[in-house]
Amino acid sequence: MSEHRRKPPQPQGGGRAAARRGQSGSSSGRRAAPRGATGSPSDSYGTSSPGSGSYDPGGEERPYGGRAEARRAAQRSSGGRRRAAEPAGHAGRRAVPGGPGRGRGRAAVSDRKRIVDYPRAGRYGAARWVPSWKLVTGLFIGFIGSLVAVAGVGFALVSVPNIAQTATAQNNVFYWADGSEMVRTGGETNRQIVNLSQIPKDMQYAVVSQENKTFYTDSGIDPKGIARAVFNMASGGETQGGSTITQQYVKNARLGDQSQTISRKFKEIFISVKVGTTVSKDEIMAGYLNSAYYGRGAYGIQAAARAYFNKDAVDLDAGECAFLAATLKGATYYDPAGSTSIDPAATPEANQKRALAQMQDTLDKMVEYGHLSATERAKYTKLPQWQNPRSNTALSGQIGYLVDLASASLIRNSAETGITEDKLRQGGYSIYTTFEKKKVNELEKAVQKVQKAKIKPKERPKTDTHVQFGGASVDPATGAIKAIYGGEDATKHFTNNADATGAQVGSTFKPLVLAAAMKWGVRDKDLGPNQAQDERTKVSPKSLYSGKNDLKIKTYDGEIWKNEKDKEWLQENDGQQSYGAPPNYRIDLREAMRESVNSAFVQLGMDVGLDKVKEAAMDAGLKENSLAGTNYPSFSIGISDPSAIRMAGAYATFAASGKQREPFSVTKVTDKDGPVYSHEVQTRQAFESIVADNVTDVLKTVVEDGTGTAAQLTGRDVAGKTGTTDGNKSAWFVGYTPQLATSISMFRLDDDETKKNREFLEMFGTGGEKKIHGASFPAQIWHDYMEQALKGEPAEDFPTPDPIGEIVNDVPTPTPAPTPSEEPSSASPTPSPTPSEPTTSPTPSPTETCFGFQCPPPGDTGGTDTGGTDGGVTPTPTPTETGETGNSRGNGNGGIFG
């Protein structure tokens, strides 16, 4: 052997340097050696026998077979990321990624056996989570294959619908309050299927031009529309229907399933595709036009032609076809007769405007697409002559009004009830109403009694034609509507007079002014206009106000009120009569209410603030959209036009000692699967009981010894108020007992609902009376109805109120200097001279003197009323005077319960 000794073989695990690192790691607390290493030089380099660790023929045994194996051992012990610490005293070699043998061993073998290499083996960090192109391609092919398979199965399973068999509706059954059946509606669906040859080409081209111009060339579906509808449904947005005629045809044929779900939408897609590939376009067109809903209960073109024009479909002209195509967009908003019971915006005027615009657009598109000549199109520039809707004979009398009211209530509150117009039309509901059959019948009899005895249109055609009545009864304890009178017959008179009509309420508004004065109080003239409640003086019924006719109205701080034309306001009393002793004409508010003195309540409203009067009215239950603007003092004497239902509900708030409950007409709804909706009574304290009870106490005086004596009931407490408007265009009586609040209205309005801007007509001479007051026919109807409605129920007394407020204006004001227009000679009520302009300027015309607000008709000085004098109401200012107008025409601000 050479004298130069050969170096001992170095271990493959890293040699002496690795051993030193191992020793250093053992002593310094660094990363421990791999499992099995002892950490001593003898262990690293000493001899061992085969089978114990790794055997080296050179006499050395290594704990691992190399760096790769050490790395894999470290990965197994630490999850591939970190190694567990070894027992104290041991050291080893740190695994080095990327060394010899990478990818081999058990871990690599395990990775190669996975079907889906994700997360990816042999990659570290973020790279392990990036899918390979093979994985992405495979998933895409699998997804497309699944869609094709699902589409194939869906296409095979669906069938082509048959309109005659599937497009049917079920009955809705309405029940009286006692649970007995009132009427069944809906099952008698108005549909008559006709062949395509009986449907004018103009009708076919109208729907194609307006809804689906590619109908004759498309596949039957609109991918963009479908994607948009599915997205909206999945995201909780508004649902949308199919955008092609084929999809609409499929939807109409599947009335049994109108749920807005993604599964239903996909099913309709499959059916539409199958229909588009297996059914001819002519069959689809005929099916669509025979199944579509055109409003007025009419399904199909033949029923629609009869409902709107009383002719067969084959006889429709191009203008009528374009009009009917417009109704397909939503009959609620395109029926020219209006649908205010469903949506206040759907007034006859607004619907006619929408329908005409849509009709013209359809005709223009028919010309553009070559379906109609320009010469023929020029013939149709106005809405075709349409007829009023006809109802099912089972809905005659008051039944139709009751059904319409209950149905509209459910639809308007669909967010709460879950019942939309489409769902209600499909039927299958049992609807339990609040209406009591006895009360409904008695109210109708009371109206008919007056009509038969007093209203004689043949004898007095100039004064007794177009006379209408409305009425409603509300339970103060719950808000339940117990009875309504909507008109002569729901199949002949289509506006529900219990709901919004536009008739101003007159002096029946005055109790709300008094309630505001007791709740808020009058303002201190030394403080600003917007005073807090604790800065005001709450009013006692003993407070004194002027009953002088032609009173100069002042602002709360004593300044004379003037309009934007710098003209003073002279408030006129009914019959131009003054009340109270001259020269101040002071009367307390109880007397002012009893005699319905306008001047006192107009000034009281100004002292309180008209904004607070409006707030009190809304607190009592009136809807804001039924209230006129508060720019003029006359707001306090009833230039607003709430419905009979709302007025009964507001007075019911006083009857319930200030507790306000929203009027309602449906207690519950069920279907074949059980409960659908149940009404819950919500109560809020609109007025403190001391306020409401004092208002009631004052209104008792009206019935006991004032304008409302005709409404007295045998052995019962009654509170109420008469109301008459300027020009004698409407008259009211609203009153209540502790158990029931009822309002009755009377007005003249042209029955022809096809006319635009129907005006209310004067009632001078109507019924043989010189002038109609709330104390006359309305109070008589109220009395006759309430006597029978409460028959058999125990009499209840109103609570005795505690004293409230302070006596305002108790100190007499200085006596004003006499003027030529102020010449009363006694303390008793006396007629006042004709009003004059309170300035030194030349005498104005009568219209200027009254400012267009309160002048009686020429030559009329106001009639007398044997039942007491009821305050008249100034008409609503013109738009040029205020910018805000009340409703002087029919239909008011729309239902429901306007």
Side-chain angles (χ1 to χ4, degrees):
M1 179 178 296
S2 169
E3 62 178 337
H4 300 288
R5 299 183 60 187
R6 182 164 55 94
K7 282 186 177 181
Q10 298 295 318
Q12 295 183 15
R16 295 176 182 175
R20 284 194 301 269
R21 286 195 299 271
Q23 291 172 351
S24 174
S26 175
S27 60
S28 64
R30 294 182 180 176
R31 212 182 271 262
R35 189 179 302 157
T38 64
S40 64
S42 60
D43 286 334
S44 299
Y45 297 98
T47 61
S48 63
S49 61
S52 60
S54 178
Y55 180 69
D56 187 341
E60 294 180 74
E61 182 183 21
R62 296 180 304 276
Y64 299 103
R67 294 178 181 176
E69 186 173 348
R71 183 180 69 252
R72 289 194 294 273
Q75 289 175 343
R76 286 195 297 271
S77 64
S78 63
R81 302 286 296 180
R82 295 178 64 102
R83 292 177 300 159
E86 287 297 315
H90 289 251
R93 293 164 299 169
R94 183 173 183 176
V96 180
R102 181 178 181 182
R104 296 180 302 185
R106 279 182 284 179
V109 172
S110 175
D111 287 341
R112 284 197 298 271
K113 288 182 179 180
R114 291 191 298 171
I115 297 176
V116 179
D117 184 20
Y118 193 78
R120 301 174 67 181
R123 300 292 180 94
Y124 302 93
R128 285 173 54 82
W129 304 99
V130 178
S132 66
W133 68 269
K134 293 181 179 179
L135 179 60
V136 173
T137 303
L139 289 175
F140 178 75
I141 294 173
F143 177 72
I144 297 299
S146 299
L147 288 181
V148 172
V150 170
V153 172
F155 187 85
L157 292 178
V158 298
S159 58
V160 175
N162 185 323
I163 286 292
Q165 295 177 354
T166 60
T168 59
Q170 303 178 60
N171 282 316
N172 287 320
V173 184
F174 290 80
Y175 295 91
W176 295 102
D178 63 2
S180 61
E181 185 174 313
M182 178 194 302
V183 67
R184 291 173 177 262
T185 68
E188 73 298 332
T189 301
N190 182 13
R191 176 189 286 113
Q192 182 181 351
I193 296 176
V194 294
N195 294 326
L196 189 65
S197 61
Q198 297 297 109
I199 301 176
K201 282 290 184 182
D202 285 332
M203 187 68 210
Q204 301 174 44
Y205 291 141
V207 296
V208 168
S209 300
Q210 188 58 251
E211 299 187 31
N212 187 191
K213 66 180 180 180
T214 61
F215 168 69
Y216 289 106
T217 58
D218 63 32
S219 62
I221 62 172
D222 176 14
K224 291 182 179 180
I226 292 170
R228 183 172 58 250
V230 171
F231 174 79
N232 285 348
M233 285 186 291
S235 61
E238 294 184 1
T239 57
Q240 298 179 1
S243 58
T244 69
I245 289 176
T246 303
Q247 287 175 265
Q248 290 292 338
Y249 161 73
V250 170
K251 179 182 178 181
N252 294 342
R254 301 183 68 240
L255 281 175
D257 179 16
Q258 291 291 299
S259 57
Q260 293 292 340
T261 61
I262 294 179
S263 61
R264 171 187 165 277
K265 181 62 64 176
F266 275 116
K267 191 171 184 179
E268 280 189 3
I269 292 172
F270 292 137
I271 297 174
S272 298
V273 172
K274 194 162 191 174
V275 168
T277 57
T278 60
V279 181
S280 70
K281 293 293 185 179
D282 282 350
E283 287 184 74
I284 294 173
M285 176 62 71
Y288 172 60
L289 293 177
N290 275 312
S291 63
Y293 182 67
Y294 297 80
R296 300 190 178 187
Y299 289 84
I301 184 64
Q302 175 65 16
R306 281 291 172 187
Y308 287 96
F309 306 117
N310 196 26
K311 62 172 61 176
D312 291 327
V314 70
D315 297 324
L316 295 171
D317 61 35
E320 292 165 339
C321 290
F323 166 79
L324 290 178
T327 65
L328 294 175
K329 299 181 72 66
T332 296
Y333 301 100
Y334 292 91
D335 185 340
S339 301
T340 53
S341 62
I342 295 175
D343 190 336
T347 62
E349 293 80 8
N351 279 18
Q352 290 167 25
K353 184 177 180 180
R354 276 190 288 263
L356 179 60
Q358 188 67 25
M359 169 187 161
Q360 297 301 306
D361 182 64
T362 299
L363 291 169
D364 290 341
K365 288 181 178 177
M366 290 172 69
V367 174
E368 179 184 349
Y369 301 145
H371 301 315
L372 186 70
S373 69
T375 303
E376 182 69 11
R377 187 260 177 270
K379 298 178 181 178
Y380 310 107
T381 57
K382 298 180 180 180
L383 281 177
Q385 187 62 41
W386 49 275
Q387 65 179 4
N388 277 316
R390 299 179 181 273
S391 300
N392 173 2
T393 54
L395 302 178
S396 61
Q398 299 304 304
I399 299 299
Y401 301 122
L402 300 175
V403 168
D404 287 348
L405 195 67
S407 299
S409 176
L410 293 172
I411 295 170
R412 286 284 299 278
N413 297 301
S414 59
E416 181 182 353
T417 65
I419 300 174
T420 63
E421 186 178 5
D422 284 343
K423 289 182 178 179
L424 190 65
R425 192 169 64 240
Q426 294 156 29
Y429 295 110
S430 294
I431 301 169
Y432 295 83
T433 72
T434 60
F435 308 126
E436 294 186 13
K437 187 174 184 179
K438 173 190 172 184
K439 289 183 171 63
V440 171
N441 291 339
E442 292 297 342
L443 183 52
E444 185 176 33
K445 289 179 183 178
V447 174
Q448 290 173 345
K449 178 181 175 181
V450 168
Q451 285 178 321
K452 185 177 180 180
K454 296 292 185 179
I455 310 301
K456 302 183 183 298
K458 292 182 179 179
E459 294 180 14
R460 297 183 290 266
K462 292 185 178 180
T463 60
D464 284 22
T465 54
H466 310 306
V467 175
Q468 298 184 32
F469 295 90
S473 277
V474 172
D475 181 359
T478 63
I481 303 171
K482 294 299 184 180
I484 64 169
Y485 181 83
E488 180 183 353
D489 188 327
T491 63
K492 299 176 182 178
H493 172 79
F494 307 106
T495 299
N496 186 348
N497 291 346
D499 208 350
T501 62
Q504 294 179 351
V505 298
S507 294
T508 59
F509 197 81
K510 289 173 182 173
L512 299 168
V513 182
L514 181 60
M518 291 179 174
K519 177 180 180 177
W520 289 95
V522 296
R523 292 174 287 185
D524 188 325
K525 67 179 182 179
D526 295 326
L527 301 177
N530 300 317
Q531 298 175 21
Q533 192 166 4
D534 59 358
E535 297 176 318
R536 296 165 172 256
T537 302
K538 293 186 178 181
V539 171
S540 163
K542 297 179 181 180
S543 296
L544 301 176
Y545 275 82
S546 176
K548 182 179 179 299
N549 182 56
D550 289 336
L551 177 69
K552 291 183 181 180
I553 299 303
K554 301 179 180 180
T555 60
Y556 79 96
D557 56 2
E559 295 293 326
I560 299 295
W561 187 92
K562 295 181 180 180
N563 67 6
E564 67 281 359
K565 297 179 181 179
D566 201 35
K567 291 185 177 181
E568 299 173 355
W569 184 282
L570 302 179
Q571 183 55 54
E572 183 179 291
N573 291 329
D574 186 58
Q576 298 185 3
Q577 192 168 356
S578 293
Y579 295 84
N584 296 321
Y585 300 95
R586 292 300 179 91
I587 57 174
D588 65 29
L589 292 177
R590 185 181 297 273
E591 181 181 354
M593 186 72 76
R594 184 179 71 236
E595 303 299 335
S596 200
V597 181
N598 286 346
S599 56
F601 280 96
V602 170
Q603 187 59 62
L604 177 63
M606 296 298 289
D607 291 349
V608 174
L610 297 183
D611 58 331
K612 295 304 180 185
V613 174
K614 180 178 180 179
E615 185 176 332
M618 294 171 62
D619 287 342
L622 300 188
K623 296 177 69 176
E624 184 173 13
N625 64 1
S626 71
L627 299 176
T630 57
N631 289 352
Y632 276 71
S634 57
F635 177 77
S636 294
I637 48 176
I639 61 174
S640 299
D641 54 13
S643 68
I645 293 174
R646 287 289 171 181
M647 289 303 294
Y651 276 49
T653 301
F654 297 133
S657 294
K659 294 181 176 65
Q660 196 274 332
R661 299 173 176 97
E662 191 72 5
F664 70 100
S665 58
V666 177
T667 55
K668 66 176 181 177
V669 179
T670 62
D671 63 10
K672 61 183 178 61
D673 297 320
V676 174
Y677 163 74
S678 181
H679 178 80
E680 295 183 5
V681 175
Q682 305 262 338
T683 301
R684 63 184 181 86
Q685 194 73 39
F687 305 105
E688 295 178 354
S689 59
I690 191 173
V691 171
D693 293 343
N694 270 279
V695 171
T696 295
D697 193 60
V698 171
L699 294 181
K700 284 176 61 180
T701 309
V702 175
V703 177
E704 292 170 354
D705 190 30
T707 60
T709 54
Q712 292 176 1
L713 299 178
T714 305
R716 293 182 184 276
D717 269 2
V718 176
K721 184 70 188 74
T722 54
T724 307
T725 59
D726 182 81
N728 207 209
K729 294 180 179 180
S730 62
W732 291 70
F733 185 82
V734 187
Y736 55 96
T737 68
Q739 298 111 308
L740 194 64
T742 300
S743 63
I744 302 295
S745 65
M746 177 181 178
F747 51 90
R748 290 185 68 208
L749 183 65
D750 192 342
D751 277 333
D752 188 355
E753 296 173 1
T754 65
K755 293 182 179 178
K756 293 184 178 180
N757 302 328
R758 294 181 298 153
E759 297 285 346
F760 285 91
L761 307 175
E762 294 177 342
M763 293 190 291
F764 296 107
T766 298
E769 301 286 329
K770 187 173 182 180
K771 184 176 182 180
I772 297 297
H773 288 86
S776 56
F777 299 146
Q780 182 181 335
I781 293 171
W782 190 96
H783 167 270
D784 293 348
Y785 161 66
M786 291 289 281
E787 283 280 19
Q788 298 302 316
L790 296 173
K791 194 173 183 178
E793 294 188 25
E796 297 181 14
D797 296 331
F798 290 119
T800 302
D802 295 327
I804 188 173
E806 300 179 20
I807 301 177
V808 176
N809 299 327
D810 192 21
V811 179
T813 57
T815 302
T819 64
S821 63
E822 296 178 351
E823 298 176 352
S825 58
S826 66
S828 60
T830 57
S832 297
T834 302
S836 60
E837 183 74 23
T839 66
T840 57
S841 60
T843 303
S845 66
T847 301
E848 292 173 331
T849 301
C850 302
F851 312 138
F853 305 140
Q854 66 231 31
C855 291
D860 179 70
T861 58
T864 58
D865 179 14
T866 57
T869 303
D870 183 32
V873 176
T874 58
T876 306
T878 62
T880 58
E881 291 165 336
T882 66
E884 296 182 76
T885 65
N887 195 323
S888 60
R889 300 183 174 89
N891 302 319
N893 293 282
I896 177 175
F897 316 159

